[in-house]
Amino acid sequence: MYINGVRVPVAGATGVLGGVLTAEPAGRGARPALAGRDPGRLARAAQPRPGAPPVPFDAYDSAPRTRAVHGPAAGSGGLDAVVTAFGPVGSGPVDFGRATGVGDEAAEYRMAADVPAPAAFFRAAPGIMRPGSVIATLTGGVSGRPRARTADHSASEAAPRARLVAARPGARTTDFRILDIRPGHRDTGFADRPTARTTPVGRDPHQRVGVVVDATEAEAEPPRTAPDGTPVADRRAR
């Protein structure tokens, strides 16, 4: 897939990582649509990209999820990729700490953003995407390597990854690619709102996004980050 000219909505474009994932392909000629929850941040994100339509989107509201896919598709004549890059938003609780000490509110808040919302994008996209298109979802490193004091966080990250793995055989028959992007712990503001302990500040997200886009162009699985910070290349996605 050549990035130049690719039509791609990015859900979570108003976040730190989603913003970087929008800017890098746009710099290579992609045609992004920016989907985000906060109207002010969405307008600011769209300002330097006059051709990128802003699309209101809330991971906690089922109706806008499908519109965030079908709206850009109708406006641009189709889609070549869909990227989901969002998680718990605003000042909501983050579920770090002992499994017995996190609380139902924090666990349910995270699960609502991490599981049904990406799944809705996944269901909406294939019917309007051309052959060879890409569905990419960002998942955390804990999705494949759960760690102590992240029980609910690990469970919610593992669910979308399990969906991607289970869907890949069927995706081959319809000729679209599924990418599980695991950029590792990045500095996205996530560390500013833990419930039970201090979360270490992550690495600069710009360090990985260029590599992810390169891997997408090469039709390879984007590299993930090993616990020691080194990149690890998985097998091809299809």
Side-chain angles (χ1 to χ4, degrees):
M1 170 180 284
Y2 292 103
I3 298 300
N4 186 33
V6 162
R7 301 159 296 180
V8 52
V10 180
T14 54
V16 174
L17 196 52
V20 177
L21 277 164
T22 301
E24 179 70 23
R28 304 190 191 196
R31 297 162 56 192
L34 314 181
R37 177 176 182 263
D38 184 279
R41 294 176 64 182
L42 189 59
R44 288 191 295 273
Q47 192 170 26
R49 299 180 181 85
V55 182
F57 161 74
D58 188 340
Y60 297 96
D61 187 345
S62 59
R65 298 170 188 165
T66 301
R67 289 200 300 266
V69 176
H70 287 276
S76 61
L79 297 177
D80 305 295
V82 171
V83 177
T84 59
F86 52 82
V89 295
S91 58
V94 174
D95 49 352
F96 286 108
R98 292 187 304 172
T100 55
V102 169
D104 291 343
E105 180 188 4
E108 293 172 6
Y109 186 83
R110 162 159 285 284
M111 192 68 72
D114 278 349
V115 181
F121 274 83
F122 187 92
R123 288 189 291 267
I128 55 176
M129 297 173 77
R130 67 172 180 80
S133 296
V134 172
I135 297 175
T137 297
L138 271 72
T139 61
V142 294
S143 64
R145 188 187 294 268
R147 299 176 184 175
R149 303 179 70 87
T150 66
D152 291 288
H153 176 54
S154 296
S156 68
E157 291 282 2
R161 184 185 178 196
R163 173 179 289 276
L164 298 179
V165 172
R168 272 182 177 158
R172 295 189 186 100
T173 65
T174 53
D175 196 26
F176 67 90
R177 296 169 53 223
I178 296 175
L179 300 182
D180 175 12
I181 302 174
R182 281 166 278 162
H185 184 43
R186 301 288 137 183
D187 184 7
T188 62
F190 193 56
D192 298 335
R193 49 187 193 275
T195 57
R197 69 175 177 89
T198 300
T199 306
V201 175
R203 300 180 180 89
D204 182 355
H206 293 82
Q207 295 174 349
R208 301 291 292 174
V209 169
V211 180
V212 167
V213 176
D214 288 341
T216 302
E217 285 193 301
E219 298 191 355
E221 184 75 1
R224 57 185 172 84
T225 303
D228 63 358
T230 59
V232 177
D234 288 335
R235 63 177 176 81
R236 288 172 61 89
R238 49 181 295 178

